[in-house]
Amino acid sequence: MSHDEANKSVSRREFIKIGGAGAIALTLGSAVMPVEWLGGGEAHAAPNDNTKLQFNQEGKFKIVQFNDTQDDENIDRRTVELMEKVLDSEKPDLVVLNGDNITGGCDTAEEMKQAMNNVVQPMEQRGIQWAVTFGNHDEDSTPKGGLNEEEMLKFYMAYKHNVNEPGERGITGTGNSNLLIRSSKGSKPAFNVWLLDSGRYAPETIANQNFEGYPTWDWIRLDQVKWYYETSKKLEEKNGRKVPSLMFIHIPLWEHRFMWYASVDGRSEADHARAVAKHQIVGERNEDECPGPINSGMFSAILARGDVKGVFCGHDHVNTYHGNYYGVLLGYAGSAGFGTYGLPGADRNRLRGARVFQLDENTDNVLVDTHMVFAKDFGIDLTANDQSTAPEPIPANKKQEKIVK
């Protein structure tokens, strides 16, 4: 597979034409890799004690996931309109901007900040708490604009209603962290949200072998898996029980790809029909899932711990499905961004939307429902054109004291 060496921008449609990499990834996933490619460093579990997130008096909590807003400083006005209408309709307690929040096209640091400001203002203006993860496109403007993901995270964290933590040090990625949601009646956590950086792109080579013929996106590295596993155990030890949770990553796991057909190699309509019945799949799949070339082992760790109730991603803009894969919900949130690719032709913007999660601390799993809401539900213009607008000024009242030094 080829990609632009200057900005690592990959055409998803080109990947769709390749296909057939699922079985290969299983072989790669079992390979023993040198430490430098796994991220290195010792993972230290450090559960955070975020006190801002709490179930309401009825024991309810709602999360909204926006994925792939993916625009520069001149954002398509409908992306903001969608976000605003979803927030006003759903009134969530937490919003997760799950990667590819911005993309290339910004020529300066100020323009990168304007692009970021565009997608956080809907929450800031409503006083809704929010957090980000990073995707493969967030640093597309870095060569010209100069801000890397660590600097972007500091910028996001300076907003009043942001609840990101600096992230675990010494492991792969930026902002790997967990957010504890307190129960309605006290300080004990009733739920947990994992935020993981799934990276950008695979290295050019491993052991002098390139990735021609394989997908070239990144994957969750072993040190991140280890950090999740250790932190999960510490949370259980501290609270006397496993804390149910959701995990947000931008790039899907290979298990997302396997679930649609309930198979590694079978890709037939009969395979999918079996999968729908077996895994209770709901939603659309309009492009092949695009994980990295290596199976990270994260799903195996999740099964071993038994606390994660769902793993949700973006990356593949025109996939909106979710299903139950051996007791863990796997799914997509589609794309909220009108300025990036969508379906072909006049249908380009039909699936722009967001995912909603309903939590109830009075149930065993806590996660009681998840579903998509779409721009079409709110009467937003779905015309397949560009409606970019100039950026709003960055507010002066950002909570500068929260910037990580």
Side-chain angles (χ1 to χ4, degrees), residues 217-277:
W217 293 281
D218 213 334
W219 63 93
I220 298 290
R221 303 304 178 98
L222 180 61
D223 55 359
Q224 294 171 286
V225 177
K226 181 181 177 184
W227 170 80
Y228 152 71
Y229 191 85
E230 291 181 349
T231 304
S232 172
K233 284 173 41 178
K234 282 186 174 289
L235 284 173
E236 181 179 12
E237 292 167 3
K238 181 177 180 179
N239 295 285
R241 67 184 184 93
K242 293 179 179 178
V243 181
S245 61
L246 277 171
M247 181 176 288
F248 292 98
I249 56 177
H250 182 76
I251 297 174
L253 303 176
W254 272 98
E255 286 77 9
H256 283 80
R257 188 176 174 98
F258 300 154
M259 183 178 71
W260 184 262
Y261 289 107
S263 173
V264 174
D265 298 315
R267 317 283 295 168
S268 69
E269 291 185 9
D271 290 324
H272 175 57
R274 176 169 50 86
V276 170

Short mmCIF file of all heavy atoms in Angstrom, two decimals, residues 217-277:
data_model
loop_
_atom_site.label_atom_id
_atom_site.label_comp_id
_atom_site.label_asym_id
_atom_site.label_seq_id
_atom_site.Cartn_x
_atom_site.Cartn_y
_atom_site.Cartn_z
N TRP A 217 -1.89 1.38 9.05
CA TRP A 217 -2.19 2.19 10.23
C TRP A 217 -1.51 1.61 11.45
O TRP A 217 -0.90 0.54 11.40
CB TRP A 217 -3.71 2.30 10.42
CG TRP A 217 -4.33 3.09 9.32
CD1 TRP A 217 -4.35 4.44 9.20
CD2 TRP A 217 -4.95 2.59 8.14
NE1 TRP A 217 -4.96 4.82 8.03
CE2 TRP A 217 -5.34 3.70 7.36
CE3 TRP A 217 -5.23 1.31 7.66
CZ2 TRP A 217 -5.99 3.57 6.13
CZ3 TRP A 217 -5.87 1.18 6.44
CH2 TRP A 217 -6.24 2.30 5.69
N ASP A 218 -1.62 2.29 12.55
CA ASP A 218 -0.94 1.87 13.77
C ASP A 218 -1.83 0.90 14.56
O ASP A 218 -2.94 0.57 14.15
CB ASP A 218 -0.59 3.09 14.62
CG ASP A 218 0.71 2.91 15.40
OD1 ASP A 218 1.08 1.76 15.70
OD2 ASP A 218 1.34 3.93 15.71
N TRP A 219 -1.33 0.47 15.71
CA TRP A 219 -2.07 -0.45 16.55
C TRP A 219 -1.76 -0.15 18.02
O TRP A 219 -0.75 0.48 18.34
CB TRP A 219 -1.72 -1.90 16.21
CG TRP A 219 -0.28 -2.28 16.45
CD1 TRP A 219 0.25 -2.84 17.57
CD2 TRP A 219 0.83 -2.13 15.54
NE1 TRP A 219 1.60 -3.05 17.43
CE2 TRP A 219 1.98 -2.62 16.18
CE3 TRP A 219 0.94 -1.62 14.24
CZ2 TRP A 219 3.23 -2.62 15.58
CZ3 TRP A 219 2.18 -1.62 13.64
CH2 TRP A 219 3.31 -2.11 14.31
N ILE A 220 -2.61 -0.60 18.91
CA ILE A 220 -2.36 -0.50 20.36
C ILE A 220 -1.13 -1.34 20.67
O ILE A 220 -1.06 -2.51 20.29
CB ILE A 220 -3.57 -1.00 21.16
CG1 ILE A 220 -4.80 -0.13 20.87
CG2 ILE A 220 -3.25 -1.02 22.65
CD1 ILE A 220 -4.74 1.26 21.41
N ARG A 221 -0.15 -0.75 21.36
CA ARG A 221 1.10 -1.45 21.62
C ARG A 221 1.04 -2.23 22.94
O ARG A 221 0.19 -1.98 23.81
CB ARG A 221 2.27 -0.46 21.65
CG ARG A 221 2.40 0.36 20.36
CD ARG A 221 2.53 -0.51 19.10
NE ARG A 221 2.61 0.28 17.88
CZ ARG A 221 3.73 0.59 17.27
NH1 ARG A 221 4.89 0.18 17.75
NH2 ARG A 221 3.70 1.30 16.16
N LEU A 222 1.99 -3.15 23.11
CA LEU A 222 1.98 -4.05 24.26
C LEU A 222 2.06 -3.28 25.58
O LEU A 222 1.41 -3.67 26.57
CB LEU A 222 3.15 -5.04 24.16
CG LEU A 222 3.27 -6.05 25.30
CD1 LEU A 222 2.02 -6.93 25.39
CD2 LEU A 222 4.52 -6.91 25.10
N ASP A 223 2.83 -2.18 25.62
CA ASP A 223 2.93 -1.44 26.88
C ASP A 223 1.60 -0.79 27.25
O ASP A 223 1.28 -0.63 28.43
CB ASP A 223 4.07 -0.42 26.85
CG ASP A 223 4.01 0.56 25.70
OD1 ASP A 223 3.08 0.46 24.86
OD2 ASP A 223 4.89 1.43 25.61
N GLN A 224 0.80 -0.42 26.26
CA GLN A 224 -0.53 0.12 26.54
C GLN A 224 -1.47 -0.97 27.05
O GLN A 224 -2.27 -0.73 27.96
CB GLN A 224 -1.13 0.75 25.27
CG GLN A 224 -0.39 1.99 24.78
CD GLN A 224 -0.89 2.44 23.43
OE1 GLN A 224 -0.60 1.80 22.41
NE2 GLN A 224 -1.64 3.52 23.40
N VAL A 225 -1.37 -2.15 26.46
CA VAL A 225 -2.18 -3.28 26.93
C VAL A 225 -1.82 -3.60 28.38
O VAL A 225 -2.69 -3.80 29.24
CB VAL A 225 -1.96 -4.53 26.04
CG1 VAL A 225 -2.73 -5.73 26.59
CG2 VAL A 225 -2.37 -4.23 24.60
N LYS A 226 -0.52 -3.60 28.65
CA LYS A 226 -0.05 -3.89 30.01
C LYS A 226 -0.54 -2.82 30.98
O LYS A 226 -0.98 -3.14 32.09
CB LYS A 226 1.48 -3.95 30.02
CG LYS A 226 2.08 -4.25 31.40
CD LYS A 226 3.60 -4.27 31.33
CE LYS A 226 4.21 -4.51 32.71
NZ LYS A 226 5.70 -4.44 32.67
N TRP A 227 -0.50 -1.55 30.57
CA TRP A 227 -0.97 -0.47 31.43
C TRP A 227 -2.46 -0.64 31.75
O TRP A 227 -2.88 -0.51 32.90
CB TRP A 227 -0.73 0.88 30.77
CG TRP A 227 -1.43 1.99 31.51
CD1 TRP A 227 -1.01 2.61 32.65
CD2 TRP A 227 -2.69 2.57 31.18
NE1 TRP A 227 -1.93 3.54 33.06
CE2 TRP A 227 -2.98 3.54 32.18
CE3 TRP A 227 -3.61 2.37 30.15
CZ2 TRP A 227 -4.15 4.30 32.16
CZ3 TRP A 227 -4.77 3.13 30.14
CH2 TRP A 227 -5.02 4.08 31.13
N TYR A 228 -3.26 -0.93 30.72
CA TYR A 228 -4.69 -1.18 30.95
C TYR A 228 -4.88 -2.32 31.95
O TYR A 228 -5.65 -2.21 32.92
CB TYR A 228 -5.42 -1.51 29.64
CG TYR A 228 -6.62 -2.39 29.87
CD1 TYR A 228 -7.76 -1.90 30.49
CD2 TYR A 228 -6.57 -3.75 29.54
CE1 TYR A 228 -8.84 -2.73 30.75
CE2 TYR A 228 -7.65 -4.59 29.79
CZ TYR A 228 -8.79 -4.08 30.40
OH TYR A 228 -9.86 -4.91 30.68
N TYR A 229 -4.18 -3.43 31.72
CA TYR A 229 -4.36 -4.63 32.55
C TYR A 229 -4.00 -4.35 34.01
O TYR A 229 -4.74 -4.71 34.93
CB TYR A 229 -3.49 -5.76 31.98
CG TYR A 229 -3.79 -7.11 32.56
CD1 TYR A 229 -4.81 -7.90 32.03
CD2 TYR A 229 -3.04 -7.63 33.62
CE1 TYR A 229 -5.07 -9.16 32.56
CE2 TYR A 229 -3.30 -8.87 34.15
CZ TYR A 229 -4.32 -9.64 33.61
OH TYR A 229 -4.60 -10.88 34.14
N GLU A 230 -2.85 -3.70 34.22
CA GLU A 230 -2.41 -3.41 35.59
C GLU A 230 -3.32 -2.40 36.29
O GLU A 230 -3.64 -2.53 37.47
CB GLU A 230 -0.97 -2.87 35.57
CG GLU A 230 0.07 -3.91 35.19
CD GLU A 230 1.48 -3.34 35.22
OE1 GLU A 230 1.62 -2.10 35.33
OE2 GLU A 230 2.43 -4.13 35.13
N THR A 231 -3.74 -1.37 35.54
CA THR A 231 -4.61 -0.36 36.12
C THR A 231 -5.96 -0.95 36.47
O THR A 231 -6.54 -0.65 37.53
CB THR A 231 -4.78 0.82 35.15
OG1 THR A 231 -3.50 1.34 34.80
CG2 THR A 231 -5.62 1.92 35.78
N SER A 232 -6.47 -1.81 35.61
CA SER A 232 -7.74 -2.49 35.87
C SER A 232 -7.65 -3.32 37.15
O SER A 232 -8.58 -3.31 37.98
CB SER A 232 -8.10 -3.38 34.68
OG SER A 232 -9.22 -4.18 34.98
N LYS A 233 -6.56 -4.03 37.32
CA LYS A 233 -6.38 -4.84 38.54
C LYS A 233 -6.30 -3.96 39.78
O LYS A 233 -6.89 -4.28 40.82
CB LYS A 233 -5.11 -5.69 38.42
CG LYS A 233 -5.28 -6.91 37.52
CD LYS A 233 -4.01 -7.67 37.25
CE LYS A 233 -3.11 -7.83 38.42
NZ LYS A 233 -1.91 -8.64 38.10
N LYS A 234 -5.59 -2.84 39.69
CA LYS A 234 -5.48 -1.95 40.83
C LYS A 234 -6.83 -1.35 41.21
O LYS A 234 -7.14 -1.17 42.38
CB LYS A 234 -4.46 -0.85 40.55
CG LYS A 234 -3.01 -1.31 40.69
CD LYS A 234 -2.07 -0.13 40.55
CE LYS A 234 -0.63 -0.58 40.82
NZ LYS A 234 -0.39 -0.89 42.24
N LEU A 235 -7.63 -1.02 40.19
CA LEU A 235 -8.97 -0.50 40.46
C LEU A 235 -9.82 -1.53 41.20
O LEU A 235 -10.57 -1.20 42.13
CB LEU A 235 -9.66 -0.10 39.15
CG LEU A 235 -9.21 1.20 38.51
CD1 LEU A 235 -9.86 1.36 37.14
CD2 LEU A 235 -9.55 2.39 39.39
N GLU A 236 -9.70 -2.78 40.79
CA GLU A 236 -10.45 -3.84 41.46
C GLU A 236 -9.99 -4.00 42.91
O GLU A 236 -10.81 -4.13 43.84
CB GLU A 236 -10.30 -5.16 40.71
CG GLU A 236 -11.09 -6.31 41.35
CD GLU A 236 -10.96 -7.60 40.58
OE1 GLU A 236 -10.09 -7.70 39.69
OE2 GLU A 236 -11.73 -8.54 40.89
N GLU A 237 -8.68 -3.99 43.11
CA GLU A 237 -8.15 -4.14 44.47
C GLU A 237 -8.60 -2.98 45.37
O GLU A 237 -8.98 -3.17 46.52
CB GLU A 237 -6.62 -4.19 44.42
CG GLU A 237 -6.08 -5.44 43.76
CD GLU A 237 -4.60 -5.33 43.44
OE1 GLU A 237 -3.98 -4.29 43.79
OE2 GLU A 237 -4.05 -6.27 42.82
N LYS A 238 -8.59 -1.77 44.83
CA LYS A 238 -8.94 -0.59 45.62
C LYS A 238 -10.43 -0.54 45.95
O LYS A 238 -10.82 -0.10 47.04
CB LYS A 238 -8.54 0.67 44.85
CG LYS A 238 -8.83 1.96 45.59
CD LYS A 238 -8.34 3.17 44.80
CE LYS A 238 -8.64 4.47 45.55
NZ LYS A 238 -8.14 5.65 44.79
N ASN A 239 -11.27 -1.00 45.01
CA ASN A 239 -12.71 -0.84 45.18
C ASN A 239 -13.44 -2.12 45.56
O ASN A 239 -14.64 -2.11 45.77
CB ASN A 239 -13.31 -0.27 43.89
CG ASN A 239 -12.82 1.13 43.61
OD1 ASN A 239 -13.22 2.09 44.24
ND2 ASN A 239 -11.90 1.24 42.64
N GLY A 240 -12.70 -3.22 45.64
CA GLY A 240 -13.31 -4.48 46.07
C GLY A 240 -14.16 -5.13 45.00
O GLY A 240 -14.89 -6.10 45.29
N ARG A 241 -14.10 -4.64 43.79
CA ARG A 241 -14.86 -5.24 42.68
C ARG A 241 -14.31 -4.69 41.36
O ARG A 241 -13.61 -3.67 41.34
CB ARG A 241 -16.34 -4.89 42.77
CG ARG A 241 -16.63 -3.41 42.57
CD ARG A 241 -18.10 -3.07 42.76
NE ARG A 241 -18.35 -1.67 42.47
CZ ARG A 241 -18.72 -1.20 41.28
NH1 ARG A 241 -18.90 -2.04 40.28
NH2 ARG A 241 -18.93 0.10 41.10
N LYS A 242 -14.62 -5.38 40.29
CA LYS A 242 -14.24 -4.86 38.98
C LYS A 242 -15.16 -3.70 38.63
O LYS A 242 -16.37 -3.77 38.81
CB LYS A 242 -14.36 -5.96 37.91
CG LYS A 242 -13.33 -7.07 38.11
CD LYS A 242 -13.47 -8.16 37.06
CE LYS A 242 -12.41 -9.23 37.30
NZ LYS A 242 -12.52 -10.35 36.34
N VAL A 243 -14.57 -2.62 38.16
CA VAL A 243 -15.34 -1.43 37.81
C VAL A 243 -15.71 -1.53 36.33
O VAL A 243 -14.84 -1.51 35.46
CB VAL A 243 -14.54 -0.14 38.07
CG1 VAL A 243 -15.38 1.08 37.71
CG2 VAL A 243 -14.08 -0.08 39.52
N PRO A 244 -17.00 -1.65 36.00
CA PRO A 244 -17.41 -1.75 34.59
C PRO A 244 -16.98 -0.50 33.83
O PRO A 244 -16.89 0.59 34.40
CB PRO A 244 -18.93 -1.88 34.66
CG PRO A 244 -19.31 -1.36 36.00
CD PRO A 244 -18.16 -1.65 36.91
N SER A 245 -16.73 -0.66 32.53
CA SER A 245 -16.13 0.45 31.79
C SER A 245 -16.41 0.38 30.30
O SER A 245 -16.86 -0.64 29.76
CB SER A 245 -14.61 0.44 32.02
OG SER A 245 -14.04 -0.77 31.55
N LEU A 246 -16.13 1.50 29.64
CA LEU A 246 -16.09 1.60 28.19
C LEU A 246 -14.67 1.98 27.78
O LEU A 246 -13.99 2.70 28.51
CB LEU A 246 -17.04 2.69 27.69
CG LEU A 246 -18.52 2.34 27.51
CD1 LEU A 246 -19.31 3.60 27.23
CD2 LEU A 246 -18.70 1.34 26.37
N MET A 247 -14.24 1.50 26.62
CA MET A 247 -12.93 1.86 26.09
C MET A 247 -13.11 2.57 24.75
O MET A 247 -13.81 2.08 23.87
CB MET A 247 -12.06 0.62 25.91
CG MET A 247 -10.65 0.91 25.40
SD MET A 247 -9.62 -0.59 25.32
CE MET A 247 -9.32 -0.90 27.07
N PHE A 248 -12.45 3.73 24.62
CA PHE A 248 -12.49 4.50 23.38
C PHE A 248 -11.11 4.51 22.74
O PHE A 248 -10.13 4.92 23.35
CB PHE A 248 -12.96 5.93 23.65
CG PHE A 248 -14.41 6.00 24.06
CD1 PHE A 248 -14.75 6.11 25.40
CD2 PHE A 248 -15.42 5.96 23.11
CE1 PHE A 248 -16.08 6.16 25.78
CE2 PHE A 248 -16.75 6.01 23.48
CZ PHE A 248 -17.08 6.12 24.83
N ILE A 249 -11.05 4.04 21.49
CA ILE A 249 -9.84 4.07 20.67
C ILE A 249 -10.25 4.53 19.28
O ILE A 249 -11.39 4.34 18.86
CB ILE A 249 -9.16 2.70 20.59
CG1 ILE A 249 -10.13 1.63 20.06
CG2 ILE A 249 -8.58 2.29 21.94
CD1 ILE A 249 -9.52 0.26 19.88
N HIS A 250 -9.35 5.15 18.56
CA HIS A 250 -9.72 5.65 17.24
C HIS A 250 -9.68 4.55 16.18
O HIS A 250 -10.64 4.38 15.42
CB HIS A 250 -8.79 6.79 16.82
CG HIS A 250 -9.16 7.36 15.49
ND1 HIS A 250 -10.25 8.19 15.31
CD2 HIS A 250 -8.63 7.18 14.25
CE1 HIS A 250 -10.36 8.50 14.03
NE2 HIS A 250 -9.40 7.90 13.37
N ILE A 251 -8.59 3.83 16.10
CA ILE A 251 -8.42 2.78 15.09
C ILE A 251 -8.99 1.47 15.64
O ILE A 251 -8.71 1.10 16.77
CB ILE A 251 -6.93 2.63 14.74
CG1 ILE A 251 -6.40 3.93 14.13
CG2 ILE A 251 -6.70 1.47 13.79
CD1 ILE A 251 -4.90 3.94 13.89
N PRO A 252 -9.80 0.78 14.85
CA PRO A 252 -10.46 -0.43 15.37
C PRO A 252 -9.49 -1.57 15.66
O PRO A 252 -8.36 -1.60 15.15
CB PRO A 252 -11.42 -0.83 14.24
CG PRO A 252 -10.81 -0.24 13.01
CD PRO A 252 -10.17 1.05 13.45
N LEU A 253 -9.94 -2.51 16.46
CA LEU A 253 -9.23 -3.76 16.70
C LEU A 253 -9.54 -4.72 15.55
O LEU A 253 -10.53 -4.58 14.84
CB LEU A 253 -9.68 -4.38 18.02
CG LEU A 253 -9.53 -3.54 19.29
CD1 LEU A 253 -10.13 -4.30 20.47
CD2 LEU A 253 -8.09 -3.18 19.55
N TRP A 254 -8.71 -5.74 15.42
CA TRP A 254 -9.02 -6.76 14.41
C TRP A 254 -10.32 -7.48 14.74
O TRP A 254 -11.03 -7.97 13.84
CB TRP A 254 -7.85 -7.75 14.29
CG TRP A 254 -6.85 -7.25 13.30
CD1 TRP A 254 -5.69 -6.59 13.56
CD2 TRP A 254 -6.95 -7.32 11.88
NE1 TRP A 254 -5.05 -6.25 12.40
CE2 TRP A 254 -5.81 -6.68 11.35
CE3 TRP A 254 -7.89 -7.85 11.01
CZ2 TRP A 254 -5.59 -6.57 9.97
CZ3 TRP A 254 -7.67 -7.73 9.64
CH2 TRP A 254 -6.54 -7.10 9.15
N GLU A 255 -10.67 -7.53 16.01
CA GLU A 255 -11.92 -8.20 16.37
C GLU A 255 -13.15 -7.48 15.82
O GLU A 255 -14.19 -8.10 15.58
CB GLU A 255 -12.01 -8.33 17.89
CG GLU A 255 -11.10 -9.40 18.48
CD GLU A 255 -9.63 -8.99 18.59
OE1 GLU A 255 -9.32 -7.79 18.36
OE2 GLU A 255 -8.78 -9.86 18.90
N HIS A 256 -13.06 -6.15 15.60
CA HIS A 256 -14.15 -5.46 14.92
C HIS A 256 -14.36 -6.08 13.53
O HIS A 256 -15.49 -6.31 13.10
CB HIS A 256 -13.83 -3.98 14.74
CG HIS A 256 -13.98 -3.15 15.99
ND1 HIS A 256 -13.03 -3.10 16.97
CD2 HIS A 256 -14.99 -2.32 16.39
CE1 HIS A 256 -13.43 -2.27 17.93
NE2 HIS A 256 -14.61 -1.79 17.60
N ARG A 257 -13.25 -6.34 12.86
CA ARG A 257 -13.33 -6.89 11.50
C ARG A 257 -13.86 -8.31 11.50
O ARG A 257 -14.67 -8.69 10.65
CB ARG A 257 -11.93 -6.84 10.87
CG ARG A 257 -11.88 -7.20 9.39
CD ARG A 257 -10.46 -7.02 8.88
NE ARG A 257 -10.32 -7.48 7.50
CZ ARG A 257 -10.36 -6.68 6.44
NH1 ARG A 257 -10.59 -5.40 6.59
NH2 ARG A 257 -10.18 -7.18 5.22
N PHE A 258 -13.42 -9.10 12.49
CA PHE A 258 -13.86 -10.50 12.54
C PHE A 258 -15.36 -10.60 12.82
O PHE A 258 -16.04 -11.50 12.32
CB PHE A 258 -13.10 -11.26 13.63
CG PHE A 258 -11.61 -11.29 13.44
CD1 PHE A 258 -10.77 -11.45 14.54
CD2 PHE A 258 -11.03 -11.19 12.20
CE1 PHE A 258 -9.41 -11.47 14.40
CE2 PHE A 258 -9.65 -11.22 12.04
CZ PHE A 258 -8.83 -11.36 13.14
N MET A 259 -15.89 -9.71 13.63
CA MET A 259 -17.27 -9.84 14.11
C MET A 259 -18.30 -9.75 13.00
O MET A 259 -19.30 -10.46 13.02
CB MET A 259 -17.55 -8.75 15.17
CG MET A 259 -18.95 -8.85 15.78
SD MET A 259 -19.24 -7.61 17.06
CE MET A 259 -19.33 -6.10 16.07
N TRP A 260 -18.08 -8.87 12.01
CA TRP A 260 -19.10 -8.65 10.99
C TRP A 260 -19.47 -9.93 10.24
O TRP A 260 -20.63 -10.14 9.86
CB TRP A 260 -18.63 -7.59 10.00
CG TRP A 260 -19.67 -7.25 8.98
CD1 TRP A 260 -19.77 -7.72 7.70
CD2 TRP A 260 -20.79 -6.36 9.15
NE1 TRP A 260 -20.86 -7.19 7.06
CE2 TRP A 260 -21.51 -6.35 7.94
CE3 TRP A 260 -21.25 -5.59 10.22
CZ2 TRP A 260 -22.66 -5.59 7.76
CZ3 TRP A 260 -22.39 -4.82 10.04
CH2 TRP A 260 -23.08 -4.83 8.83
N TYR A 261 -18.48 -10.81 10.03
CA TYR A 261 -18.73 -12.07 9.34
C TYR A 261 -18.65 -13.29 10.26
O TYR A 261 -18.78 -14.42 9.79
CB TYR A 261 -17.73 -12.25 8.19
CG TYR A 261 -17.97 -11.32 7.03
CD1 TYR A 261 -17.12 -10.25 6.79
CD2 TYR A 261 -19.05 -11.49 6.17
CE1 TYR A 261 -17.33 -9.38 5.74
CE2 TYR A 261 -19.27 -10.63 5.10
CZ TYR A 261 -18.41 -9.58 4.89
OH TYR A 261 -18.62 -8.71 3.84
N ALA A 262 -18.44 -13.06 11.55
CA ALA A 262 -18.25 -14.17 12.49
C ALA A 262 -17.23 -15.15 11.93
O ALA A 262 -17.40 -16.38 11.98
CB ALA A 262 -19.57 -14.88 12.78
N SER A 263 -16.14 -14.59 11.39
CA SER A 263 -15.15 -15.43 10.71
C SER A 263 -13.87 -14.62 10.51
O SER A 263 -13.90 -13.39 10.47
CB SER A 263 -15.70 -15.88 9.35
OG SER A 263 -14.70 -16.56 8.60
N VAL A 264 -12.78 -15.35 10.33
CA VAL A 264 -11.53 -14.72 9.94
C VAL A 264 -11.41 -14.67 8.42
O VAL A 264 -11.06 -13.65 7.83
CB VAL A 264 -10.32 -15.47 10.54
CG1 VAL A 264 -9.02 -14.90 10.01
CG2 VAL A 264 -10.36 -15.39 12.07
N ASP A 265 -11.73 -15.78 7.76
CA ASP A 265 -11.56 -15.88 6.31
C ASP A 265 -12.85 -15.77 5.53
O ASP A 265 -12.86 -15.26 4.41
CB ASP A 265 -10.88 -17.20 5.96
CG ASP A 265 -9.49 -17.32 6.58
OD1 ASP A 265 -8.75 -16.32 6.50
OD2 ASP A 265 -9.17 -18.38 7.12
N GLY A 266 -13.96 -16.24 6.08
CA GLY A 266 -15.23 -16.19 5.36
C GLY A 266 -15.75 -14.78 5.25
O GLY A 266 -15.78 -14.04 6.23
N ARG A 267 -16.19 -14.38 4.03
CA ARG A 267 -16.67 -13.02 3.80
C ARG A 267 -17.97 -13.05 3.01
O ARG A 267 -18.28 -12.12 2.26
CB ARG A 267 -15.63 -12.19 3.02
CG ARG A 267 -14.19 -12.34 3.44
CD ARG A 267 -13.81 -11.60 4.67
NE ARG A 267 -13.89 -10.17 4.57
CZ ARG A 267 -13.82 -9.38 5.66
NH1 ARG A 267 -13.71 -9.92 6.86
NH2 ARG A 267 -13.88 -8.07 5.52
N SER A 268 -18.77 -14.06 3.16
CA SER A 268 -19.98 -14.22 2.35
C SER A 268 -21.20 -13.63 3.05
O SER A 268 -21.18 -13.33 4.25
CB SER A 268 -20.24 -15.70 2.05
OG SER A 268 -20.61 -16.37 3.26
N GLU A 269 -22.30 -13.49 2.29
CA GLU A 269 -23.55 -13.03 2.88
C GLU A 269 -24.05 -14.02 3.92
O GLU A 269 -24.64 -13.63 4.94
CB GLU A 269 -24.60 -12.82 1.78
CG GLU A 269 -24.31 -11.64 0.87
CD GLU A 269 -25.42 -11.40 -0.13
OE1 GLU A 269 -26.48 -12.04 0.00
OE2 GLU A 269 -25.22 -10.56 -1.04
N ALA A 270 -23.82 -15.30 3.69
CA ALA A 270 -24.23 -16.32 4.66
C ALA A 270 -23.43 -16.17 5.95
O ALA A 270 -23.97 -16.33 7.06
CB ALA A 270 -24.03 -17.72 4.07
N ASP A 271 -22.14 -15.86 5.83
CA ASP A 271 -21.31 -15.63 7.02
C ASP A 271 -21.86 -14.45 7.82
O ASP A 271 -21.96 -14.51 9.04
CB ASP A 271 -19.86 -15.34 6.62
CG ASP A 271 -19.14 -16.56 6.08
OD1 ASP A 271 -19.39 -17.67 6.58
OD2 ASP A 271 -18.33 -16.39 5.15
N HIS A 272 -22.22 -13.36 7.10
CA HIS A 272 -22.72 -12.19 7.81
C HIS A 272 -24.08 -12.48 8.46
O HIS A 272 -24.34 -12.02 9.58
CB HIS A 272 -22.85 -11.00 6.86
CG HIS A 272 -23.48 -9.81 7.50
ND1 HIS A 272 -22.97 -9.22 8.64
CD2 HIS A 272 -24.61 -9.11 7.19
CE1 HIS A 272 -23.74 -8.20 9.00
NE2 HIS A 272 -24.74 -8.12 8.14
N ALA A 273 -24.94 -13.22 7.76
CA ALA A 273 -26.24 -13.56 8.34
C ALA A 273 -26.05 -14.34 9.64
O ALA A 273 -26.77 -14.12 10.63
CB ALA A 273 -27.06 -14.36 7.34
N ARG A 274 -25.09 -15.25 9.63
CA ARG A 274 -24.78 -16.00 10.87
C ARG A 274 -24.25 -15.06 11.94
O ARG A 274 -24.60 -15.17 13.13
CB ARG A 274 -23.75 -17.08 10.52
CG ARG A 274 -23.23 -17.88 11.70
CD ARG A 274 -22.42 -19.09 11.20
NE ARG A 274 -21.42 -18.69 10.21
CZ ARG A 274 -20.20 -18.25 10.52
NH1 ARG A 274 -19.86 -18.13 11.80
NH2 ARG A 274 -19.35 -17.94 9.57
N ALA A 275 -23.44 -14.09 11.53
CA ALA A 275 -22.86 -13.15 12.49
C ALA A 275 -23.93 -12.27 13.12
O ALA A 275 -23.87 -11.96 14.32
CB ALA A 275 -21.81 -12.28 11.80
N VAL A 276 -24.90 -11.83 12.33
CA VAL A 276 -25.98 -10.98 12.86
C VAL A 276 -26.72 -11.70 13.97
O VAL A 276 -27.01 -11.11 15.03
CB VAL A 276 -26.94 -10.56 11.73
CG1 VAL A 276 -28.19 -9.90 12.31
CG2 VAL A 276 -26.25 -9.60 10.77
N ALA A 277 -27.04 -12.96 13.74
CA ALA A 277 -27.75 -13.73 14.76
C ALA A 277 -26.86 -14.02 15.97
O ALA A 277 -27.31 -13.95 17.11
CB ALA A 277 -28.25 -15.04 14.15
#
